[in-house]
Amino acid sequence: MNKKNLAIVTVFMLSVITSVNSHADESPLNVSFGVSLQPSTWDGDNTTSGTSFDASATQLQLNLRIRKGGFYTGLSFQGASFDFDGTAPEQVTKSGIRVPSSNTTVERGEFDLVFGYYFWRHVSFFADFKRITNKWDNTGYSARYNGLGLGVTGWYPVSQNWVFFGSLGFVGLNIETGGDTIGDGDGGTLVLGFLYNATKHSQLTIGLKSQQQTYNFDNGTEQKHGIGSLVFGYSYTL
């Protein structure tokens, strides 16, 4: 967590708390649980060595969201095992050694904790605490990518039951392995889709998600990662 990101998120959260206090009301507390399947393609480049990689898998995402008035918070976890047939993302050790990787399975997990506020009826801003974990099955090597980010999300009704939605977020990342920091990076996520209100409590979603990350390691190595996904989801609101 670098000082710049911490300062940005602190200012954002203070503004949210101030806004919530000044607009306190008797709005009901809404709690929703969701699950989605995301057929995904993970590709990218080991930029320093000039090699590329790609693999496909279906990710499972679970999420919980709580909203009261304009304020909301939520957490989600998504993950899958990606089988790389040929070149895979390289491993960078604590000592700075770049280790080529191929013909392996990488278990990828991503956790998000989000706090946001609807400053307008259809538009909100949010802070995102993110952790990505990658583990290479053939060596047991693992790396974590942790960071704080900011984003914007919005929705617009296109009919009585259909809603168009989208979100855009950016995050700065620290890279760790074995408890040591070995680099940093940044990433962005764009989600676009439609929500269908099937019943009073049930919603269906379909959409597209694009994630991009650039990793800069302390030994001078660079990697670029991209994950594109279709999203098929269901949520239930209490």
Side-chain angles (χ1 to χ4, degrees):
M1 180 189 304
N2 61 53
K3 293 181 179 179
K4 181 179 179 181
N5 282 339
L6 179 59
I8 291 173
V9 173
T10 299
V11 171
F12 175 81
M13 292 308 298
L14 287 174
S15 67
V16 169
I17 293 170
T18 301
S19 182
V20 170
N21 288 336
S22 63
H23 295 86
D25 56 31
E26 299 300 323
S27 300
L29 182 69
N30 294 317
V31 180
S32 63
F33 302 89
V35 60
S36 68
L37 293 177
Q38 302 178 15
S40 305
T41 299
W42 179 2
D43 58 26
D45 298 291
N46 298 307
T47 308
T48 305
S49 60
T51 59
S52 59
F53 51 83
D54 67 86
S56 299
T58 298
Q59 299 189 85
L60 173 67
Q61 181 176 29
L62 303 174
N63 58 71
L64 166 68
R65 178 170 171 168
I66 302 172
R67 177 174 176 177
K68 182 174 176 59
F71 177 78
Y72 62 91
T73 183
L75 57 87
S76 68
F77 175 81
Q78 67 181 53
S81 296
F82 288 82
D83 297 321
F84 289 89
D85 183 12
T87 306
E90 294 177 340
Q91 306 165 20
V92 178
T93 67
K94 293 187 293 184
S95 58
I97 299 175
R98 176 168 54 87
V99 181
S101 181
S102 61
N103 300 317
T104 186
T105 297
V106 178
E107 299 177 13
R108 186 182 190 278
E110 184 171 350
F111 172 83
D112 290 273
L113 175 61
V114 173
F115 297 91
Y117 188 76
Y118 277 90
F119 290 93
W120 299 276
R121 175 175 171 78
H122 294 151
V123 180
S124 76
F125 292 95
F126 63 86
D128 180 14
F129 297 76
K130 180 183 290 289
R131 167 171 287 183
I132 301 170
T133 302
N134 294 333
K135 181 178 180 180
W136 283 250
D137 282 358
N138 61 342
T139 62
Y141 172 88
S142 64
R144 289 180 175 177
Y145 314 83
N146 309 299
L148 296 171
L150 294 175
V152 59
T153 184
W155 60 275
Y156 188 80
V158 295
S159 70
Q160 183 176 355
N161 291 322
W162 285 95
V163 175
F164 174 76
F165 66 88
S167 69
L168 177 65
F170 298 95
V171 62
L173 298 165
N174 291 325
I175 308 172
E176 300 178 353
T177 185
D180 295 328
T181 299
I182 60 172
D184 56 31
D186 55 72
T189 301
L190 173 66
V191 180
L192 297 172
F194 289 91
L195 178 147
Y196 178 71
N197 290 300
T199 69
K200 180 180 179 180
H201 298 283
S202 299
Q203 300 84 38
L204 304 175
T205 57
I206 182 171
L208 299 172
K209 177 160 64 175
S210 175
Q211 295 179 277
Q212 303 292 328
Q213 289 110 27
T214 298
Y215 301 138
N216 299 295
F217 297 89
D218 292 340
N219 67 349
T221 298
E222 180 186 74
Q223 292 180 9
K224 293 184 179 295
H225 295 244
I227 296 181
S229 308
L230 290 171
V231 180
F232 303 96
Y234 169 81
S235 62
Y236 184 85
T237 302
L238 299 179

